Amino acid sequence: MPAIARGARVLSIAALLGVLTACSVPLSGVPTETPAGSAPNASAALPPSPTSAFPGLACDALVPPASVASFLGAAAAPQPLTVDDAPVLQDGGTVCAWADEAAGTSLTVRLVGDGVDHWATFNHWYEHTDWSDSVGEINGTMCSDGACSVHALDGERFIEVDAAGIDDPAGTRTEELARTALAAAPVPAPAAPPSSSAPASRSCATALPVDTAAAHLGAAATGASYVSTATPSYHLVQDSLQRVGGLDCRLLSADSRELVGFTVLPGGAWVLREDSPAGAVDAGEHSAHARRGDDWVRLQAPGASEESTQALLAELLG
């Protein structure tokens, strides 16, 4: 299909999308110890890691080391994945990251299948009609404050390239990196749907009602409400979490302070495996995580006591 015709089809799909209703925020750290009431993190008892739509695609094949060195400098090194990217992996995607911590530069490439659907959601955020075709069939490149992002549709593949700390005001170098990665990426294989032992909640307020949270948080929660969208821009992690039926929510006080933030990743308990591709679960203050059947639930309650945090987690676990 010609690029222009596909672009028109994509924009038509985007026009049909409603406003995203689930609350979304970037994921944050959680404790490594097993919370009370959770099963031990025995890998044999946990669901297997998700199957990639790009099996066998190594990061140094997606973006060769020479290209990384040319982009970030010779001191740049591969970075371990974190649970922040777990929704992308659950969506059958591949994530690769590099950084030169001393220089403050970084590069992250996320690649998923079902490209038309992902592009439609991306376009829904910005509603442009003049996107470029300099990368793949159609792409959106945005740069500001020393950071650039490229989101591109190419056939059935959708790529997100995030670069920071580099001299690339027009995004030309970041686009070149995206073209290199797309050239190396195979056609995606169909990804198996995620497993989940519990029905996904349809909204943040259904998963953890405001009145229930207020009962544990006290007067601080008077007038609290969930934000409808936590960020003003598109992020593939959030899109993938939506696509696998997950939630990422923030409950704010009347004066806009975050009282509770929680994530539900259906079928995502594999992040607790010792051999998880997402790496170790990081420690975080005023936070707790647990397995709910095959699902993974993480909760943060800034400023709340450990007792209240665990009580709120218990409410999420049902």
Side-chain angles (χ1 to χ4, degrees), residues 90-107:
Q90 189 76 349
D91 195 21
T94 292
V95 182
C96 299
W98 301 264
D100 181 344
E101 295 183 1
T105 59
S106 64
L107 168 68

Side-chain angles (χ1 to χ4, degrees), residues 24-249:
S24 300
V25 295
L27 300 175
S28 53
V30 296
T32 54
E33 67 272 12
T34 300
S38 295
N41 296 351
S43 291
L46 293 167
S49 298
T51 301
S52 173
F54 306 94
L57 179 61
C59 289
D60 59 0
L62 186 64
V63 183
S67 296
V68 174
S70 175
F71 190 74
L72 295 180
Q79 301 297 297
L81 300 186
T82 71
V83 291
D84 288 8
D85 277 307
V88 177
L89 301 180
Q90 189 76 349
D91 195 21
T94 292
V95 182
C96 299
W98 301 264
D100 181 344
E101 295 183 1
T105 59
S106 64
L107 168 68
T108 303
V109 177
R110 302 178 181 92
L111 181 72
V112 291
D114 297 321
V116 171
D117 291 340
H118 281 288
W119 174 266
T121 308
F122 168 80
N123 190 70
H124 166 75
W125 279 95
Y126 302 104
E127 298 180 347
H128 287 192
T129 58
D130 57 349
W131 295 114
S132 172
D133 60 357
S134 59
V135 179
E137 297 182 28
I138 188 169
N139 71 278
T141 300
M142 292 167 284
C143 300
S144 64
D145 301 325
C148 281
S149 68
V150 174
H151 295 87
L153 169 69
D154 189 65
E156 296 305 316
R157 303 168 300 177
F158 180 80
I159 195 169
E160 176 180 84
V161 179
D162 286 325
I166 62 170
D167 181 17
D168 190 22
T172 304
R173 297 176 61 206
T174 307
E175 288 185 349
E176 181 180 354
L177 226 299
R179 284 192 293 271
T180 297
L182 285 172
V187 174
S195 64
S196 177
S197 57
S201 301
R202 303 181 71 177
S203 70
C204 299
T206 300
L208 182 64
V210 174
D211 290 346
T212 300
H216 295 287
L217 296 172
T222 301
S225 61
Y226 285 104
V227 292
S228 58
T229 54
T231 66
S233 58
Y234 174 93
H235 298 282
L236 180 56
V237 169
Q238 295 167 345
D239 192 7
S240 288
L241 185 63
Q242 295 274 348
R243 288 176 57 80
V244 300
L247 287 175
D248 213 351
C249 306

